[in-house]
Amino acid sequence: MSLRLFRAGLLAGVIAAVPFSVSSVGSAWAADTLSAKVGKPLQEAQSALAAHNYAKAMAAVDAAEAVPGKSDYEEYTVTQMRAAVAAQSGNVAAATAAYDKLIASSRTPKDAKLQMMMAEATMAYTAKDYPRAVAGTEQYLKAAGSNPAMETLLIQSYYLQQDYKNAARVQQAQIDATIKAGKVPVESQLQLLAACQTQLKDQSGLNHTYVMLVSYYPKPEYWALILHGLITNPKVAPALQLDVYRIRLAAGVLTAPSDFMDMTELAMQAGLPQLALDLINAGYASGVLGKDAGAAREAKLKAMVVKAVADKKATIAADEAAAASAPTGNALLTVGYNYVTFGQADKGLAVMQKGLAKGPLDPNIGKLHYGLAQAAAGHTADAIATLKTVAGENGARDIAQLWILKLTPAPAAHAAAPAAHH
């Protein structure tokens, strides 16, 4: 066999060893040749490798390595063959050491170096050496830039060694980049991020991930998860309990008579009797209320609500005047919301805007309620725009995002990109 043909065969061996091809060396090295003392054992190594006799192949490589006085090119070629034999035989340590030498060599083209880095990381992952897989993948990404497949390998390597914090960090970055590019994140990526956040007990982050799952993949189980997260999230402000009930009602998962009663009473406590009447009427319309042992109590509560509506309509002008001189904008928000529920949408929204300008105790809760009032007034696009401005970590933002999903027309719901969590 000629040395040129041997060299081509050696490169083919490297191709078979790893999931990439190594380019031939550049023209500057065209005059390089192998001596017979080095070439013969390497030919034997190539034949043994083709026959999957890895022990014999590695012994032949060692014999070539032992030849004294080798040129730089011969050293390089021996290392290439060692990498091929080690990779095919599953000797991750030996293959990695050989690839490190090849990567450090000026003889190796840049693209080939990147492919070798990729091979190192992949072999380590396959061998379940996750720390080495992480190091190799990070080296590759630093040199090559973004690569979704290798980023996934990095995430899995972190996750499988229970480094959930770093797995979540890289997975979140990958999801954010996908959304920024106007594409839909892969469902399994969102699921893995949720799994990491569950392990980290990052309830706020988990809720945001559930919002994305509901946004892009609106399955019943994801709605149940995000709503459960809201119900059990200790960070949800007490002032949002009514809003939690309302989004549960909108999602169609409110089925217990006690839930409708509690929701109605919360609306009454919030000073919104017409909203309370609308909510209790929804309970009757759905058949949940008025049919069991609690029917008499439910009827009594409804009668109380009806009277409260009449009373509020009689005093709302005075309420507005008092609210104007209140120290915060909360009272104006309540009065404005009542106007909207009474059918005076334009007047009510204007009063609520004054409340927002004056400064409510919690601006995000104020914006949430203003958005819901806009939706009740039929200004859906304006409502969505307002709800997108709701921020914070007390649950208001999560509820706002869910209302955006409910208010967005079904065909576009999958593309509604919730704000990235950092």
Side-chain angles (χ1 to χ4, degrees):
M1 178 188 292
S2 70
L3 293 180
R4 179 176 294 179
L5 287 177
F6 165 75
R7 187 166 170 274
L10 173 60
L11 292 174
V14 176
I15 293 171
V18 294
F20 57 79
S21 62
V22 177
S23 303
S24 59
V25 293
S27 58
W29 313 105
D32 286 325
T33 58
L34 295 175
S35 67
K37 290 183 178 180
V38 175
K40 183 178 179 181
L42 288 183
Q43 289 175 7
E44 293 172 356
Q46 181 188 359
S47 298
L49 181 61
H52 305 292
N53 188 338
Y54 303 122
K56 184 177 180 181
M58 190 58 81
V61 172
D62 290 339
E65 183 69 56
V67 174
K70 291 188 301 297
S71 69
D72 176 73
Y73 173 68
E74 288 175 325
E75 290 282 5
Y76 183 83
T77 308
V78 170
T79 304
Q80 280 186 306
M81 181 56 82
R82 186 178 297 280
V85 175
Q88 284 200 42
S89 65
N91 187 337
V92 176
T96 299
Y99 284 132
D100 284 344
K101 289 183 179 179
L102 296 173
I103 291 168
S105 173
S106 60
R107 291 179 174 273
T108 306
K110 180 181 177 180
D111 288 347
K113 290 183 180 184
L114 294 177
Q115 292 166 333
M116 290 175 185
M117 292 178 192
M118 185 186 295
E120 284 190 7
T122 303
M123 286 188 300
Y125 180 85
T126 302
K128 299 183 179 181
D129 186 346
Y130 302 123
R132 180 174 285 176
V134 164
T137 307
E138 287 183 333
Q139 179 189 26
Y140 170 83
L141 291 172
K142 183 177 180 180
S146 178
N147 180 307
M150 293 304 289
E151 286 164 2
T152 298
L153 187 75
L154 178 60
I155 293 162
Q156 293 286 350
S157 297
Y158 276 131
Y159 186 84
L160 290 170
Q161 58 180 318
Q162 300 181 353
D163 186 348
Y164 303 117
K165 183 177 181 180
N166 277 312
R169 172 182 58 80
V170 180
Q171 185 66 88
Q172 184 72 66
Q174 191 178 50
I175 290 169
D176 289 349
T178 300
I179 294 172
K180 186 177 181 181
K183 299 178 182 178
V184 175
V186 178
E187 185 175 8
S188 61
Q189 293 177 347
L190 292 167
Q191 291 172 332
L192 189 141
L193 178 58
C196 292
Q197 291 163 333
T198 298
Q199 292 289 341
L200 294 168
K201 295 181 171 57
D202 177 9
Q203 191 62 50
S204 178
L206 185 60
N207 286 341
H208 291 317
T209 302
Y210 287 158
V211 167
M212 286 193 283
L213 279 165
V214 169
S215 175
Y216 298 114
Y217 305 95
K219 298 178 180 179
E221 57 264 37
Y222 295 146
W223 275 106
L225 286 170
I226 183 60
L227 292 169
H228 175 74
L230 278 174
I231 294 167
T232 59
N233 184 359
K235 292 185 179 180
V236 173
L240 289 170
Q241 291 307 310
L242 172 60
D243 297 287
V244 173
Y245 273 115
R246 291 184 66 190
I247 191 60
R248 290 174 63 199
L249 175 63
V253 299
L254 207 66
T255 57
S258 61
D259 286 336
F260 278 93
M261 296 290 281
D262 290 345
M263 179 171 58
T264 300
E265 290 172 356
L266 283 169
M268 289 289 287
Q269 293 167 15
L272 300 168
Q274 183 62 56
L275 177 60
L277 183 58
D278 294 342
L279 295 174
I280 198 169
N281 282 340
Y284 279 103
S286 65
V288 175
L289 299 181
K291 294 184 177 180
D292 59 7
R297 177 173 172 268
E298 293 155 8
K300 183 177 179 180
L301 177 60
K302 180 174 179 178
M304 184 192 311
V305 173
V306 170
K307 182 179 184 303
V309 170
D311 293 343
K312 181 59 67 178
K313 286 181 177 179
T315 64
I316 192 166
D319 291 345
E320 182 182 356
S325 60
T328 73
N330 280 48
L332 284 169
L333 287 168
T334 301
V335 171
Y337 209 125
N338 275 323
Y339 273 126
V340 173
T341 62
F342 292 155
Q344 301 181 59
D346 291 343
K347 180 177 180 61
L349 293 176
V351 172
M352 293 188 79
Q353 287 173 357
K354 291 179 182 178
L356 289 174
K358 190 169 189 177
L361 292 173
D362 187 315
N364 287 308
I365 293 179
K367 286 188 286 187
L368 170 64
H369 292 163
Y370 181 61
L372 294 180
Q374 288 175 303
H379 305 325
T380 304
D382 291 340
I384 291 172
T386 298
L387 292 170
K388 285 182 177 179
T389 68
V390 178
E393 301 293 332
N394 68 349
R397 178 178 180 274
D398 299 297
I399 295 171
Q401 291 291 336
L402 291 174
W403 276 111
I404 290 170
L405 299 180
K406 298 304 294 184
L407 294 171
T408 302
H414 297 290
H421 172 61
H422 297 285

